[in-house]
Amino acid sequence: MKRNILITGGAGFIGSHVVRLFVNKYPEYRIINLDKLTYAGNLANLRDIEHAPNYTFVRADICDLETIREVFRRYEIDGVIHLAAESHVDRSIKDPFTFARTNVMGTLTLLQAAKEYWNEAWEGKRFYHISTDEVYGALEFDGSLFTEETRYNPHSPYSAAKASSDHFVRAYHDTYGMPTIVTNCSNNYGPYQFPEKLIPLFINNIRHSRPLPVYGTGENVRDWLYVEDHARAIDLIFHRGKIAETYNIGGFNEWKNIDLIRVIVKTVDRLLGNPEGTSDKLITFVTDRAGHDLRYAIDASKLKRELGWEPSLQFEEGIEKTVRWYLENQEWMDQITSGEYEKYYDSMYKNR
Ligand code: NAD
Ligand code: DAU
Protein backbone atom coordinates (compact mmCIF):
# COMPACT_ATOMS: atom_id res chain seq x y z
CA MET A 1 0.00 0.00 0.00
CA LYS A 2 1.26 3.47 -0.83
CA ARG A 3 1.44 5.93 2.06
CA ASN A 4 2.80 9.44 2.58
CA ILE A 5 4.25 9.61 6.06
CA LEU A 6 5.41 12.78 7.76
CA ILE A 7 8.16 12.07 10.30
CA THR A 8 9.08 15.13 12.38
CA GLY A 9 12.48 15.47 14.05
CA GLY A 10 14.10 13.01 11.66
CA ALA A 11 17.52 14.57 11.66
CA GLY A 12 17.84 14.15 15.43
CA PHE A 13 18.93 11.06 17.32
CA ILE A 14 15.89 8.76 17.46
CA GLY A 15 14.15 10.35 14.48
CA SER A 16 17.09 9.57 12.17
CA HIS A 17 16.90 5.88 13.10
CA VAL A 18 13.13 5.87 12.48
CA VAL A 19 13.52 7.61 9.10
CA ARG A 20 16.26 5.17 8.04
CA LEU A 21 14.17 2.16 9.05
CA PHE A 22 11.07 3.36 7.18
CA VAL A 23 12.93 4.49 4.04
CA ASN A 24 14.75 1.15 3.74
CA LYS A 25 11.93 -1.15 4.80
CA TYR A 26 9.03 0.48 2.93
CA PRO A 27 10.10 1.51 -0.59
CA GLU A 28 6.39 1.90 -1.45
CA TYR A 29 5.99 4.67 1.16
CA ARG A 30 7.01 8.25 0.67
CA ILE A 31 8.81 9.47 3.80
CA ILE A 32 8.83 13.21 4.42
CA ASN A 33 11.29 14.16 7.13
CA LEU A 34 10.41 17.58 8.53
CA ASP A 35 12.97 19.17 10.82
CA LYS A 36 13.96 22.69 11.80
CA LEU A 37 17.60 21.60 12.24
CA THR A 38 18.14 23.18 15.63
CA TYR A 39 21.51 22.56 17.32
CA ALA A 40 20.30 18.94 17.75
CA GLY A 41 19.36 18.30 14.13
CA ASN A 42 22.13 17.10 11.84
CA LEU A 43 21.68 15.92 8.25
CA ALA A 44 24.92 13.97 8.56
CA ASN A 45 22.81 11.50 10.59
CA LEU A 46 21.06 10.49 7.35
CA ARG A 47 23.83 10.61 4.72
CA ASP A 48 23.30 6.96 3.77
CA ILE A 49 19.67 7.44 2.68
CA GLU A 50 19.53 11.09 1.62
CA HIS A 51 19.29 10.21 -2.10
CA ALA A 52 16.72 7.43 -1.71
CA PRO A 53 13.84 7.92 -4.18
CA ASN A 54 11.17 7.59 -1.46
CA TYR A 55 12.76 10.19 0.84
CA THR A 56 12.18 13.96 1.03
CA PHE A 57 13.63 16.40 3.53
CA VAL A 58 11.77 19.60 4.43
CA ARG A 59 13.38 22.18 6.65
CA ALA A 60 10.60 23.77 8.70
CA ASP A 61 9.52 24.68 12.21
CA ILE A 62 6.64 22.63 13.62
CA CYS A 63 5.29 25.86 15.18
CA ASP A 64 4.76 27.45 11.76
CA LEU A 65 1.11 26.59 11.05
CA GLU A 66 0.99 27.96 7.48
CA THR A 67 4.03 25.95 6.40
CA ILE A 68 2.79 22.79 8.12
CA ARG A 69 -0.60 23.16 6.41
CA GLU A 70 1.20 23.48 3.08
CA VAL A 71 3.30 20.35 3.77
CA PHE A 72 0.13 18.32 4.47
CA ARG A 73 -1.43 19.53 1.22
CA ARG A 74 1.63 19.22 -1.01
CA TYR A 75 2.63 15.73 0.13
CA GLU A 76 -0.92 14.45 0.81
CA ILE A 77 0.10 13.24 4.25
CA ASP A 78 -1.88 10.33 5.66
CA GLY A 79 0.30 9.38 8.64
CA VAL A 80 2.36 11.35 11.14
CA ILE A 81 5.11 10.08 13.43
CA HIS A 82 5.96 13.04 15.62
CA LEU A 83 9.39 13.11 17.26
CA ALA A 84 10.48 16.75 16.87
CA ALA A 85 11.07 18.26 20.29
CA GLU A 86 13.49 20.00 22.55
CA SER A 87 14.80 16.95 24.37
CA HIS A 88 17.51 17.84 26.89
CA VAL A 89 16.49 18.28 30.54
CA ASP A 90 19.46 20.52 31.45
CA ARG A 91 18.59 22.96 28.66
CA SER A 92 14.96 23.03 29.79
CA ILE A 93 16.07 24.17 33.24
CA LYS A 94 17.87 27.14 31.66
CA ASP A 95 15.33 27.95 28.94
CA PRO A 96 11.83 26.60 29.67
CA PHE A 97 10.06 28.88 27.17
CA THR A 98 11.71 27.23 24.16
CA PHE A 99 10.51 23.88 25.48
CA ALA A 100 6.92 25.09 25.90
CA ARG A 101 6.99 26.62 22.42
CA THR A 102 8.31 23.61 20.52
CA ASN A 103 6.98 20.72 22.57
CA VAL A 104 3.53 22.13 23.37
CA MET A 105 2.73 24.67 20.65
CA GLY A 106 4.58 22.70 17.98
CA THR A 107 2.60 19.54 18.76
CA LEU A 108 -0.65 21.51 18.83
CA THR A 109 0.22 23.07 15.47
CA LEU A 110 0.76 19.64 13.89
CA LEU A 111 -2.47 18.30 15.37
CA GLN A 112 -4.42 21.27 14.04
CA ALA A 113 -2.89 21.02 10.55
CA ALA A 114 -3.65 17.26 10.47
CA LYS A 115 -7.23 17.85 11.65
CA GLU A 116 -7.85 20.48 8.97
CA TYR A 117 -6.27 18.46 6.16
CA TRP A 118 -7.93 15.15 7.09
CA ASN A 119 -11.25 16.93 7.61
CA GLU A 120 -12.78 14.05 9.59
CA ALA A 121 -12.02 11.47 6.88
CA TRP A 122 -10.13 9.51 9.54
CA GLU A 123 -10.08 6.13 7.73
CA GLY A 124 -6.45 5.05 7.15
CA LYS A 125 -5.05 8.11 8.95
CA ARG A 126 -2.82 8.02 12.00
CA PHE A 127 -1.18 10.59 14.28
CA TYR A 128 1.50 8.88 16.36
CA HIS A 129 3.12 10.97 19.10
CA ILE A 130 6.46 9.90 20.59
CA SER A 131 6.72 10.73 24.28
CA THR A 132 8.85 9.90 27.28
CA ASP A 133 8.71 8.05 30.59
CA GLU A 134 9.70 11.32 32.31
CA VAL A 135 6.04 12.46 32.25
CA TYR A 136 5.36 9.92 35.02
CA GLY A 137 7.76 11.66 37.42
CA ALA A 138 10.17 9.69 39.58
CA LEU A 139 10.12 6.28 41.28
CA GLU A 140 11.65 5.25 44.61
CA PHE A 141 14.15 2.38 44.89
CA ASP A 142 11.27 0.03 45.68
CA GLY A 143 11.00 -2.13 42.56
CA SER A 144 7.87 -0.33 41.31
CA LEU A 145 7.57 0.43 37.60
CA PHE A 146 5.78 2.99 35.41
CA THR A 147 2.74 1.43 33.75
CA GLU A 148 0.38 3.03 31.23
CA GLU A 149 -1.92 3.79 34.21
CA THR A 150 0.70 5.67 36.27
CA ARG A 151 -0.47 9.20 37.07
CA TYR A 152 1.37 11.98 35.24
CA ASN A 153 3.67 13.86 37.63
CA PRO A 154 6.38 15.68 35.61
CA HIS A 155 9.09 17.62 37.43
CA SER A 156 11.31 19.32 34.85
CA PRO A 157 10.23 21.94 32.31
CA TYR A 158 11.10 19.33 29.65
CA SER A 159 8.83 16.66 31.08
CA ALA A 160 6.09 19.19 31.90
CA ALA A 161 6.09 20.30 28.25
CA LYS A 162 6.06 16.68 26.99
CA ALA A 163 3.21 15.85 29.39
CA SER A 164 1.23 18.79 28.08
CA SER A 165 1.79 17.69 24.48
CA ASP A 166 0.59 14.17 25.35
CA HIS A 167 -2.62 15.67 26.79
CA PHE A 168 -3.21 17.67 23.60
CA VAL A 169 -2.80 14.56 21.46
CA ARG A 170 -5.35 12.64 23.56
CA ALA A 171 -7.66 15.67 23.53
CA TYR A 172 -7.66 15.64 19.70
CA HIS A 173 -8.79 12.03 19.81
CA ASP A 174 -11.41 12.51 22.51
CA THR A 175 -12.79 15.78 21.12
CA TYR A 176 -12.52 15.40 17.36
CA GLY A 177 -12.07 11.65 16.86
CA MET A 178 -8.55 11.92 15.43
CA PRO A 179 -6.85 8.47 15.28
CA THR A 180 -3.98 9.06 17.69
CA ILE A 181 -1.49 6.87 19.53
CA VAL A 182 0.99 7.89 22.25
CA THR A 183 4.03 5.94 23.38
CA ASN A 184 6.23 6.69 26.39
CA CYS A 185 9.76 5.37 26.15
CA SER A 186 12.71 5.09 28.52
CA ASN A 187 16.28 6.38 27.91
CA ASN A 188 17.63 5.54 24.46
CA TYR A 189 21.28 5.00 23.61
CA GLY A 190 23.18 4.22 20.42
CA PRO A 191 24.77 5.97 17.39
CA TYR A 192 23.99 9.59 16.42
CA GLN A 193 23.00 10.83 19.89
CA PHE A 194 23.92 14.45 20.49
CA PRO A 195 26.95 14.61 22.83
CA GLU A 196 25.23 16.58 25.57
CA LYS A 197 23.51 13.37 26.74
CA LEU A 198 25.27 11.15 29.24
CA ILE A 199 26.58 8.28 27.11
CA PRO A 200 28.05 10.10 24.06
CA LEU A 201 29.27 12.98 26.24
CA PHE A 202 31.20 10.63 28.50
CA ILE A 203 32.63 8.54 25.64
CA ASN A 204 33.95 11.69 24.00
CA ASN A 205 35.28 13.13 27.27
CA ILE A 206 37.16 9.93 28.05
CA ARG A 207 38.72 9.99 24.60
CA HIS A 208 39.97 13.52 25.28
CA SER A 209 40.88 12.83 28.95
CA ARG A 210 38.33 15.40 30.13
CA PRO A 211 36.43 15.22 33.44
CA LEU A 212 33.26 13.14 33.57
CA PRO A 213 30.70 15.27 35.48
CA VAL A 214 28.56 12.87 37.55
CA TYR A 215 25.53 14.72 38.92
CA GLY A 216 25.02 14.35 42.69
CA THR A 217 26.07 10.96 44.02
CA GLY A 218 25.49 9.07 40.78
CA GLU A 219 22.80 6.94 42.48
CA ASN A 220 20.01 7.93 40.06
CA VAL A 221 18.63 5.07 37.99
CA ARG A 222 17.68 5.06 34.31
CA ASP A 223 16.24 2.25 32.13
CA TRP A 224 18.29 2.02 28.90
CA LEU A 225 17.04 0.86 25.50
CA TYR A 226 19.06 0.53 22.30
CA VAL A 227 17.72 3.10 19.84
CA GLU A 228 17.13 0.61 16.99
CA ASP A 229 14.88 -1.39 19.30
CA HIS A 230 12.86 1.78 19.91
CA ALA A 231 12.64 2.37 16.14
CA ARG A 232 11.39 -1.23 15.67
CA ALA A 233 8.75 -0.65 18.34
CA ILE A 234 7.64 2.56 16.59
CA ASP A 235 7.30 0.69 13.28
CA LEU A 236 5.22 -2.05 14.91
CA ILE A 237 2.97 0.36 16.82
CA PHE A 238 2.48 2.68 13.85
CA HIS A 239 1.20 -0.26 11.81
CA ARG A 240 -0.51 -2.45 14.41
CA GLY A 241 -1.10 -0.38 17.53
CA LYS A 242 -4.68 0.32 18.60
CA ILE A 243 -6.08 3.80 18.08
CA ALA A 244 -6.30 5.93 21.24
CA GLU A 245 -4.00 3.57 23.13
CA THR A 246 -0.87 4.35 25.09
CA TYR A 247 2.06 1.93 25.06
CA ASN A 248 5.10 2.06 27.32
CA ILE A 249 8.41 1.12 25.70
CA GLY A 250 11.44 0.22 27.80
CA GLY A 251 14.56 -1.88 28.00
CA PHE A 252 13.86 -3.88 31.19
CA ASN A 253 17.39 -2.66 31.85
CA GLU A 254 17.90 -0.46 34.92
CA TRP A 255 21.31 0.99 35.72
CA LYS A 256 22.53 3.31 38.46
CA ASN A 257 24.34 6.15 36.69
CA ILE A 258 27.61 5.48 38.50
CA ASP A 259 27.57 1.77 37.59
CA LEU A 260 26.78 2.58 33.96
CA ILE A 261 29.57 5.17 33.91
CA ARG A 262 32.06 2.58 35.19
CA VAL A 263 31.03 0.23 32.35
CA ILE A 264 31.53 3.04 29.82
CA VAL A 265 34.95 3.98 31.24
CA LYS A 266 36.08 0.35 31.16
CA THR A 267 34.78 -0.23 27.62
CA VAL A 268 36.33 2.93 26.17
CA ASP A 269 39.68 2.22 27.83
CA ARG A 270 39.67 -1.34 26.49
CA LEU A 271 38.76 -0.30 22.95
CA LEU A 272 41.37 2.47 22.97
CA GLY A 273 43.98 -0.02 24.15
CA ASN A 274 44.52 1.81 27.49
CA PRO A 275 45.49 -0.21 30.56
CA GLU A 276 42.42 -0.96 32.73
CA GLY A 277 41.72 1.86 35.19
CA THR A 278 43.40 4.58 33.10
CA SER A 279 40.33 6.84 32.95
CA ASP A 280 38.84 6.12 36.40
CA LYS A 281 40.39 9.34 37.67
CA LEU A 282 38.23 11.39 35.27
CA ILE A 283 35.07 10.58 37.25
CA THR A 284 34.15 13.86 39.00
CA PHE A 285 31.13 14.35 41.25
CA VAL A 286 29.50 17.73 40.58
CA THR A 287 26.47 19.69 41.82
CA ASP A 288 23.29 17.73 41.21
CA ARG A 289 20.80 18.61 38.43
CA ALA A 290 17.95 20.70 39.88
CA GLY A 291 14.89 18.51 40.48
CA HIS A 292 16.88 15.43 39.41
CA ASP A 293 14.44 12.49 39.15
CA LEU A 294 15.68 9.59 41.24
CA ARG A 295 14.62 6.60 39.20
CA TYR A 296 12.83 5.77 35.95
CA ALA A 297 11.81 2.22 35.07
CA ILE A 298 9.27 1.15 32.48
CA ASP A 299 6.88 -1.77 32.56
CA ALA A 300 6.69 -2.62 28.85
CA SER A 301 4.66 -5.80 29.35
CA LYS A 302 1.56 -4.45 27.58
CA LEU A 303 3.55 -3.98 24.38
CA LYS A 304 4.99 -7.48 24.70
CA ARG A 305 1.60 -9.04 25.46
CA GLU A 306 -0.41 -7.22 22.80
CA LEU A 307 2.05 -6.78 19.93
CA GLY A 308 4.86 -9.21 20.75
CA TRP A 309 7.64 -6.60 20.99
CA GLU A 310 10.70 -7.04 23.19
CA PRO A 311 14.16 -5.50 23.13
CA SER A 312 16.40 -7.57 20.84
CA LEU A 313 19.81 -6.46 22.07
CA GLN A 314 21.46 -7.37 25.37
CA PHE A 315 22.88 -4.28 27.08
CA GLU A 316 26.48 -5.59 27.05
CA GLU A 317 26.28 -5.99 23.27
CA GLY A 318 24.52 -2.64 22.82
CA ILE A 319 27.00 -0.63 24.82
CA GLU A 320 29.98 -2.27 23.10
CA LYS A 321 28.45 -1.46 19.70
CA THR A 322 27.72 2.11 20.80
CA VAL A 323 31.18 2.86 22.18
CA ARG A 324 32.76 1.38 19.06
CA TRP A 325 30.54 3.53 16.84
CA TYR A 326 31.50 6.80 18.57
CA LEU A 327 35.20 5.92 18.52
CA GLU A 328 35.04 5.00 14.84
CA ASN A 329 33.00 8.08 13.87
CA GLN A 330 35.19 10.74 15.39
CA GLU A 331 34.61 13.02 12.42
CA TRP A 332 30.88 13.08 13.17
CA MET A 333 31.64 13.94 16.79
CA ASP A 334 34.26 16.59 15.97
CA GLN A 335 31.94 18.37 13.56
CA ILE A 336 29.48 18.81 16.41
CA THR A 337 31.83 19.61 19.25
CA SER A 338 33.73 22.30 17.36
CA GLY A 339 32.49 25.83 16.71
CA GLU A 340 29.31 27.24 18.15
CA TYR A 341 28.36 24.16 20.09
CA GLU A 342 31.69 24.23 21.90
CA LYS A 343 30.95 27.73 23.21
CA TYR A 344 27.56 26.63 24.51
CA TYR A 345 29.09 23.56 26.11
CA ASP A 346 31.74 25.67 27.88
CA SER A 347 29.21 28.14 29.26
CA MET A 348 27.01 25.33 30.61
CA TYR A 349 29.79 23.73 32.55
CA LYS A 350 31.25 27.00 33.85
CA ASN A 351 27.97 27.64 35.67
CA ARG A 352 28.03 24.39 37.60
P1 NAD B 1 16.97 15.13 19.57
O1 NAD B 1 17.12 16.36 20.43
O2 NAD B 1 18.15 14.32 19.23
O3 NAD B 1 16.25 15.53 18.20
C1 NAD B 1 15.18 16.42 18.16
C2 NAD B 1 14.98 16.85 16.70
O4 NAD B 1 13.86 17.75 16.67
C3 NAD B 1 16.18 17.60 16.13
O5 NAD B 1 16.49 17.12 14.85
C4 NAD B 1 15.70 19.05 16.06
O6 NAD B 1 16.28 19.81 15.00
C5 NAD B 1 14.20 18.86 15.84
N1 NAD B 1 13.42 20.02 16.29
C6 NAD B 1 13.52 20.68 17.46
N2 NAD B 1 12.68 21.72 17.48
C7 NAD B 1 12.02 21.71 16.30
C8 NAD B 1 11.01 22.52 15.73
N3 NAD B 1 10.51 23.59 16.38
N4 NAD B 1 10.54 22.23 14.49
C9 NAD B 1 11.04 21.15 13.80
N5 NAD B 1 12.01 20.37 14.29
C10 NAD B 1 12.50 20.63 15.52
O7 NAD B 1 15.85 14.26 20.32
P2 NAD B 1 15.75 12.67 20.49
O8 NAD B 1 16.52 12.26 21.68
O9 NAD B 1 15.96 12.01 19.20
O10 NAD B 1 14.19 12.56 20.89
C11 NAD B 1 13.20 12.49 19.87
C12 NAD B 1 11.85 12.38 20.54
O11 NAD B 1 11.77 11.24 21.37
C13 NAD B 1 11.50 13.57 21.43
O12 NAD B 1 10.14 13.87 21.26
C14 NAD B 1 11.79 13.07 22.83
O13 NAD B 1 10.97 13.72 23.77
C15 NAD B 1 11.41 11.60 22.69
N6 NAD B 1 12.12 10.68 23.58
C16 NAD B 1 13.50 10.68 23.66
C17 NAD B 1 14.14 9.75 24.46
C18 NAD B 1 15.65 9.69 24.56
O14 NAD B 1 16.17 8.93 25.37
N7 NAD B 1 16.40 10.43 23.77
C19 NAD B 1 13.38 8.81 25.20
C20 NAD B 1 11.99 8.86 25.10
C21 NAD B 1 11.37 9.77 24.28
O1 DAU C 1 13.85 8.88 30.10
C1 DAU C 1 13.76 9.35 28.78
C2 DAU C 1 14.54 10.64 28.65
O2 DAU C 1 15.92 10.29 28.67
C3 DAU C 1 14.22 11.42 27.38
O3 DAU C 1 12.87 11.82 27.42
C4 DAU C 1 15.13 12.65 27.26
O4 DAU C 1 14.88 13.31 26.03
C5 DAU C 1 16.56 12.17 27.30
O5 DAU C 1 17.43 13.29 27.27
C6 DAU C 1 16.83 11.36 28.56
O6 DAU C 1 16.77 12.18 29.74
P1 DAU C 1 17.83 12.04 30.94
O7 DAU C 1 17.84 13.31 31.68
O8 DAU C 1 17.60 10.79 31.70
O9 DAU C 1 19.18 11.83 30.05
P2 DAU C 1 20.67 12.41 30.22
O10 DAU C 1 21.52 11.68 29.24
O11 DAU C 1 20.67 13.90 30.20
O12 DAU C 1 21.07 11.95 31.68
C7 DAU C 1 21.05 10.58 32.06
C8 DAU C 1 21.37 10.52 33.55
O13 DAU C 1 22.75 10.92 33.73
C9 DAU C 1 20.56 11.49 34.41
O14 DAU C 1 20.30 10.88 35.67
C10 DAU C 1 21.47 12.69 34.59
C11 DAU C 1 22.86 12.07 34.57
N1 DAU C 1 23.94 12.91 34.01
C12 DAU C 1 23.74 13.44 32.77
C13 DAU C 1 24.72 14.25 32.17
C14 DAU C 1 24.50 14.87 30.82
C15 DAU C 1 25.13 13.11 34.69
O15 DAU C 1 25.30 12.58 35.81
N2 DAU C 1 26.10 13.89 34.12
C16 DAU C 1 25.93 14.48 32.89
O16 DAU C 1 26.85 15.20 32.43
Side-chain angles (χ1 to χ4, degrees), residues 87 132-134 158 187 196 198 213 215 222 257 289 292:
S87 70
T132 172
D133 59 0
E134 301 203 12
Y158 163 66
N187 286 61
E196 63 188 349
L198 180 77
Y215 298 166
R222 296 291 181 267
N257 287 344
R289 171 185 279 174
H292 196 174

Side-chain angles (χ1 to χ4, degrees), residues 8-16 34-42 45 60-63 82-88 101-103 106 129-134 158 162 183-189 192-194 196-197 224 230:
T8 69
F13 168 47
I14 302 171
S16 63
L34 184 144
D35 198 297
K36 183 181 177 182
L37 300 181
T38 65
Y39 79 94
N42 183 355
N45 296 355
D61 186 334
I62 54 167
C63 300
H82 173 37
L83 296 109
E86 290 291 340
S87 70
H88 191 43
R101 179 186 180 275
T102 292
N103 298 1
H129 175 62
I130 308 299
S131 191
T132 172
D133 59 0
E134 301 203 12
Y158 163 66
K162 290 295 290 187
T183 56
N184 298 84
C185 188
S186 64
N187 286 61
N188 285 218
Y189 71 100
Y192 300 113
Q193 187 168 29
F194 195 82
E196 63 188 349
K197 307 282 167 68
W224 294 93
H230 189 188

Side-chain angles (χ1 to χ4, degrees), residues 88-91 93-94 196 201 213-216 284-290 292 344-352:
H88 191 43
V89 175
D90 293 330
R91 288 184 189 245
I93 294 167
K94 288 188 186 296
E196 63 188 349
L201 173 73
V214 183
Y215 298 166
T284 310
F285 292 91
V286 301
T287 311
D288 207 355
R289 171 185 279 174
H292 196 174
Y344 169 80
Y345 174 92
D346 287 348
S347 70
M348 264 189 74
Y349 286 95
K350 242 183 251 150
N351 295 338
R352 252 177 224 301

Side-chain angles (χ1 to χ4, degrees), residues 221-233:
V221 170
R222 296 291 181 267
D223 170 4
W224 294 93
L225 176 68
Y226 193 68
V227 62
E228 288 179 1
D229 276 332
H230 189 188
R232 268 197 315 109

